[in-house]
Amino acid sequence: SQPVEATDDAFWDQFWADTATSVQDVFALVPAAEIRAVREESPSNLATLCYKAVEKLVQGAESGCHTEKERQIVLNCCRLLTRILPYIFEDPDWRGFFWSTVPGAGRGGGDEDDENARPLAESLLLAVTDLLFCPDFTVQSHRRSTVDTAEDIHSIDSCEYIWEAGVGFAHSPQPNYIHDLNRTELLKLLLTCFSEAMYLPPSSDSSNTNPWVQFFCSTENRHALPLFTSLLNVVCAYDPVGYGIPYNHLLFSDYREPLVEEAAQVLIVTLDYDSSTSSSPTVDGTTTGTAMDDVDPPGPDNLFVNYLSRIHREEDFQFILKGVARLLSNPLVQTYLPNSAKKIQFHQELLVLFWKLCDFNKKFLFFVLKSSDVLDILVPILYFLNDARADQSRVGLMHIGVFILLLLSGERNFGVRLNKPYSVRVPMDIPVFTGTHADLLIIVFHKIITSGHQRLQPLFDCLLTIVVNVSPYLKSLSMVAANKLLHLLEAFSTTWFLFSAVQNHHLVFFLLEVFNNIIQYQFDGNSNLVYAVIRKRNVFHQLANLPTDSQSIQKGLQRKKKTPEPISRTNSQDGVSMEGSRPAAPAEPGTLKTSLVATPGIDKLTEKSQVSEDGTMRSLEPEASQLSPEGNPPTALSDGELWSGEASHSRRDRRRLSSASSSGQWTPTPDWVMSWKSKLPLQTIMRLLQVLVPQVEKICIDKGLTDESEILKFLQHGTLVGLLPVPHPILIRKYQANSGTAMWFRTYMWGVIYLRNVDPPIWYDTDVKLFEIQRV
């Protein structure tokens, strides 16, 4: 508790000169209360301790850590800083400490003036990056020799020492578990440095970049490229199955897995970058508006984002996609021997990484959609969504899964790929069906909507937008999926649901758009859906005749009080669930979860594009939709275009059309119901019913039929050519980058990292501001 002179080496050395300890030991020996006490009562000692520990890391990086003793000192300093940094960040007065220069910190002589001026944080980050490419400590030495001809750490080209083969590197180094352990400890320290972001409250201003990440990913870091490549390759090359031998993971400790987890976490944090505020390269690789020549800014300053956006070789894309798909599918790998295969836990980090890849590298996105490999990403995502739907602690996982599918669904190829038959039998708690990946998607979405927990309601818009986006391309839905869609329409079009919230009717519009797209563009193969529409025709008639007078509105709302259930499950015949599946379970009471910021509404999250005859898309900006290029007012757009919460009409009309009662509660009015009822796009379906219902009834009477198969046969061979209204243009709602989602990803990602780092518990019980830690 007394101030100790910085020159008292004997005193300071005891902190790191100890023989082998582990990071867990350091956490046990240095309790939180003591760190806080030193911070408050003898701040100069805490400052000296940090400065000395950084100095030792810098010395280790300079010398190349040739002796066991030096390596031990480096690791102990590394563990100590990992322990202390969160307590520096939680105190606003200390937060600037690492960005200040330490007086007289030049090494010995005062001649290196420019070196003297380096803030402590920069010295620390540069030392850690040097140490991550330190021969015989974290990488294989290329020379078999004694200490005196040791490789000078400043002369090595770290690109020759990339940790794993893959993107931009063909040589796979011999695995060395000591190197893996040392890398893991250094990456843990890096992650702790970056975690300053956890101690700032979420802000809408996403431009406040993390100074640690900014410096680390700048040209000041001479190892930026090899490090980015090492992290990416280590993650994508990892195969957790234990080389195909059952129970292998129980016999051999896997030193790779902790490294892969740490690498994935460091990677997604360095890629935390708001692309909506920058001129990021557009699809064809040119920056917005101009071709990419030397005069233009060469993409983002963040080198990791820059490198990620510039990967372009097919074999690199293949390596990344295969690796991510392999790891995401790992929890689904069913073996006949229970627990015989290793289950990985870092699928949430992988989903964030996959999101960043698709968001920052459009060529990668198109590569993913080019073949049916995209289904190897889709199936695990649907598995996670279905599995987490009842679990309050996994609401973030639900969101990121849906965001990825929304991003993919903006591209025509995704809808086309969904027509591939689904034959993999991953045990999932959903009805058994025979059909395509589109059927799987619809059935899982139905399950989420009807039997997920309440907090998922904000996602309904997104789920149905995905179905709308793919609907024009779905060649043939199974009877199970067709019934699910009609069940959703039935549930969403009850009067109490429509009248109980200002945006609920949007869901009905989305579903009608799905039916219209399939009937207009894919009528031929979709006799199951047409049959289901005919069977449930009363739902459409009820919508067309929806009452709009005050009395009926009140009566509709009364009905709600009797049925608190969000959606009735009664008339959805679920049938038997798949063999070997377990029901989706709620979180265990007491499970920790981190809070998330709200996500933007679907109108902020997406922008509309219209698909032309030749399949190209053009954006429908608000001004573009006033007149179409030929100069005609857009007739066909009116039904789909005006209802979906366009800023222009929704806010103003909401105030005008719905009277706010004295309690400030929103109440539906006849004008408000009329304002959207008149836009319900029912024309196509009504025409279909008008033509087909009499024909189907005639068959039933003539043949005394009660058998579905005859009617389906008739519908399969029927045609509505020339009988339906002119097909409407296909509207796709494409995800657009925005700062709201950038902030959501930041809070989600750090929440995952906080909860996953329990051994040692780096941030546990510190005063985190980015999110709240809650118990279920």
Side-chain angles (χ1 to χ4, degrees), residues 35 89 114 121 154 161 188 298 310 374 377 393 567 652 724:
I35 303 174
F89 294 150
D114 55 342
H154 289 285
Y161 290 87
K188 215 182 264 310
R310 284 163 52 181
V374 65
I377 300 284
S393 68
I567 281 175
R652 206 178 46 241
L724 291 178

Side-chain angles (χ1 to χ4, degrees), residues 128-148:
V128 172
T129 54
D130 277 344
L131 288 164
L132 285 168
F133 292 100
C134 184
D136 291 328
F137 180 52
T138 50
V139 290
Q140 294 290 182
S141 173
H142 289 188
R143 295 187 199 160
R144 283 280 139 259
S145 60
T146 52
V147 175
D148 20 290

Side-chain angles (χ1 to χ4, degrees), residues 622-642:
E623 56 280 356
S625 63
Q626 298 312 309
L627 282 177
S628 47
E630 301 76 58
N632 321 331
T635 44
L637 286 186
S638 54
D639 54 57
E641 192 47 48
L642 295 170

Side-chain angles (χ1 to χ4, degrees), residues 133-274:
F133 292 100
C134 184
D136 291 328
F137 180 52
T138 50
V139 290
Q140 294 290 182
S141 173
H142 289 188
R143 295 187 199 160
R144 283 280 139 259
S145 60
T146 52
V147 175
D148 20 290
T149 61
E151 293 160 275
D152 176 10
I153 195 147
H154 289 285
S155 67
I156 70 172
D157 174 6
S158 45
C159 285
E160 293 171 13
Y161 290 87
I162 288 170
W163 301 348
E164 186 57 80
V167 176
F169 195 65
H171 164 70
S172 189
Q174 195 58 43
N176 179 323
Y177 79 94
I178 300 284
H179 294 174
D180 277 358
L181 289 173
N182 294 342
R183 291 164 178 174
T184 305
E185 299 234 31
L186 287 160
L187 289 179
K188 215 182 264 310
L189 173 56
L190 266 184
L191 197 59
T192 310
C193 290
F194 297 158
S195 72
E196 183 178 331
M198 281 196 214
Y199 297 88
L200 303 168
S203 72
S204 51
D205 173 25
S206 50
S207 59
N208 51 9
T209 39
N210 182 330
W212 296 84
V213 172
Q214 195 175 4
F215 179 80
F216 180 78
C217 298
S218 72
T219 46
E220 297 269 353
N221 176 0
R222 71 186 182 99
H223 303 294
L225 181 61
L227 198 49
F228 168 77
T229 316
S230 295
L231 296 172
L232 185 63
N233 292 353
V234 156
V235 172
C236 295
Y238 178 56
D239 186 355
V241 174
Y243 310 100
I245 305 164
Y247 299 105
N248 204 7
H249 68 104
L250 301 178
L251 306 178
F252 304 102
S253 182
D254 179 354
Y255 295 99
R256 247 309 131 102
E257 190 182 22
L259 174 66
V260 174
E261 290 204 1
E262 215 65 53
Q265 292 179 0
V266 168
L267 202 49
I268 61 178
V269 170
T270 54
L271 296 170
D272 175 19
Y273 179 80
D274 181 359

Side-chain angles (χ1 to χ4, degrees), residues 267-454:
L267 202 49
I268 61 178
V269 170
T270 54
L271 296 170
D272 175 19
Y273 179 80
D274 181 359
S275 58
S276 66
T277 56
S278 62
S279 67
S280 55
T282 48
V283 176
D284 55 354
T286 57
T287 44
T288 332
T290 48
M292 216 171 154
D293 52 48
D294 298 336
V295 195
D296 283 321
D301 297 333
N302 176 325
L303 289 179
F304 277 39
V305 174
N306 203 331
Y307 298 145
L308 185 80
S309 67
R310 284 163 52 181
I311 298 172
H312 61 275
R313 287 173 32 213
E314 295 260 314
E315 56 269 41
D316 289 343
F317 287 158
Q318 189 60 35
F319 164 75
I320 294 171
L321 181 59
K322 278 271 180 280
V324 173
R326 179 190 328 110
L327 292 170
L328 284 177
S329 309
N330 162 272
L332 290 60
V333 176
Q334 284 307 314
T335 49
Y336 295 105
L337 306 165
N339 305 324
S340 64
K342 188 180 176 78
K343 290 254 187 287
I344 61 157
Q345 301 298 324
F346 56 97
H347 47 273
Q348 299 194 83
E349 293 92 324
L350 285 166
L351 289 171
V352 175
L353 179 60
F354 183 75
W355 169 269
K356 300 278 181 198
L357 281 157
C358 293
D359 196 20
F360 296 152
N361 190 325
K362 287 295 173 264
K363 289 199 176 100
F364 176 74
L365 176 63
F366 295 145
F367 177 84
V368 169
L369 293 164
K370 202 172 70 174
S371 73
S372 49
D373 288 350
V374 65
L375 302 175
D376 299 336
I377 300 284
L378 170 76
V379 172
I381 288 179
L382 291 175
Y383 171 85
F384 293 129
L385 289 177
N386 188 56
D387 188 54
R389 66 176 194 264
D391 184 341
Q392 296 259 358
S393 68
R394 288 153 81 196
V395 104
L397 171 63
M398 298 291 296
H399 276 76
I400 185 164
V402 172
F403 281 159
I404 289 173
L405 298 184
L406 179 65
L407 181 71
L408 296 174
S409 75
E411 307 297 332
R412 171 182 177 275
N413 265 355
F414 182 64
V416 174
R417 298 282 160 241
L418 290 179
N419 291 308
K420 189 175 175 186
Y422 177 68
S423 49
V424 209
R425 285 280 165 255
V426 176
M428 281 163 85
D429 170 28
I430 53 171
V432 179
F433 70 98
T434 307
T436 64
H437 285 75
D439 295 308
L440 176 68
L441 178 129
I442 288 167
I443 292 166
V444 168
F445 283 10
H446 173 269
K447 243 336 191 198
I448 294 168
I449 291 171
T450 55
S451 63
H453 56 80
Q454 283 283 286

Side-chain angles (χ1 to χ4, degrees), residues 485-737:
L485 285 174
L486 278 141
H487 175 240
L488 288 179
L489 182 70
E490 216 173 346
F492 289 149
S493 57
T494 58
T495 47
W496 69 256
F497 184 78
L498 284 173
F499 297 157
S500 60
V502 71
Q503 72 292 345
N504 281 356
H505 63 277
H506 289 183
L507 300 172
V508 169
F509 276 87
F510 283 132
L511 284 164
L512 290 175
E513 204 175 331
V514 171
F515 298 136
N516 287 339
N517 281 343
I518 293 178
I519 292 166
Q520 288 281 19
Y521 292 99
Q522 298 289 349
F523 179 82
D524 287 352
N526 273 300
S527 51
N528 287 331
L529 183 76
V530 175
Y531 178 63
V533 167
I534 291 173
R535 273 187 47 216
K536 291 282 186 192
R537 56 190 177 277
N538 63 321
V539 181
F540 299 98
H541 290 302
Q542 278 165 5
L543 266 175
N545 301 316
L546 188 72
T548 56
D549 58 288
S550 304
Q551 204 177 354
S552 307
I553 293 175
Q554 283 318 307
K555 209 152 96 191
L557 290 171
Q558 292 310 298
R559 211 168 304 160
K560 178 182 186 193
K561 296 198 173 73
K562 297 197 203 77
T563 43
E565 203 43 47
I567 281 175
S568 79
R569 299 175 199 160
T570 44
N571 33 12
S572 162
Q573 298 87 14
D574 252 9
V576 192
S577 269
M578 287 185 167
E579 199 182 336
S581 67
R582 290 194 311 269
E588 292 285 319
T591 307
L592 287 180
K593 64 188 181 81
T594 54
S595 62
L596 291 162
V597 292
T599 50
I602 195 76
D603 47 333
K604 294 270 184 302
L605 209 53
T606 55
E607 63 175 5
K608 293 210 190 63
S609 298
Q610 188 177 320
V611 181
S612 322
E613 308 265 308
D614 60 356
T616 55
M617 291 194 193
R618 62 181 186 84
S619 174
L620 287 177
E621 290 307 307
E623 56 280 356
S625 63
Q626 298 312 309
L627 282 177
S628 47
E630 301 76 58
N632 321 331
T635 44
L637 286 186
S638 54
D639 54 57
E641 192 47 48
L642 295 170
W643 55 265
S644 73
E646 239 60 19
S648 56
H649 111 260
S650 64
R651 291 225 168 71
R652 206 178 46 241
D653 289 4
R654 213 173 284 175
R655 279 203 301 275
R656 188 165 55 80
L657 295 171
S658 55
S659 60
S661 64
S662 52
S663 64
Q665 272 275 256
W666 170 84
T667 52
T669 63
D671 281 354
W672 171 77
V673 179
M674 279 303 292
S675 74
W676 54 262
K677 179 189 167 181
S678 59
K679 300 195 185 89
L680 284 168
L682 286 164
Q683 307 82 323
T684 302
I685 293 168
M686 288 309 187
R687 184 79 186 116
L688 171 133
L689 292 173
Q690 197 186 347
V691 174
L692 292 179
V693 169
Q695 299 181 359
V696 170
E697 283 175 342
K698 185 171 183 316
I699 295 177
C700 294
I701 293 162
D702 290 356
K703 304 200 174 167
L705 278 183
T706 47
D707 178 23
E708 292 186 354
S709 59
E710 283 288 328
I711 300 169
L712 283 168
K713 205 174 294 171
F714 161 72
L715 292 173
Q716 264 158 17
H717 300 110
T719 173
L720 290 175
V721 174
L723 295 171
L724 291 178
V726 179
H728 53 283
I730 297 174
L731 274 188
I732 301 292
R733 292 171 184 79
K734 288 172 78 95
Y735 167 80
Q736 57 172 353

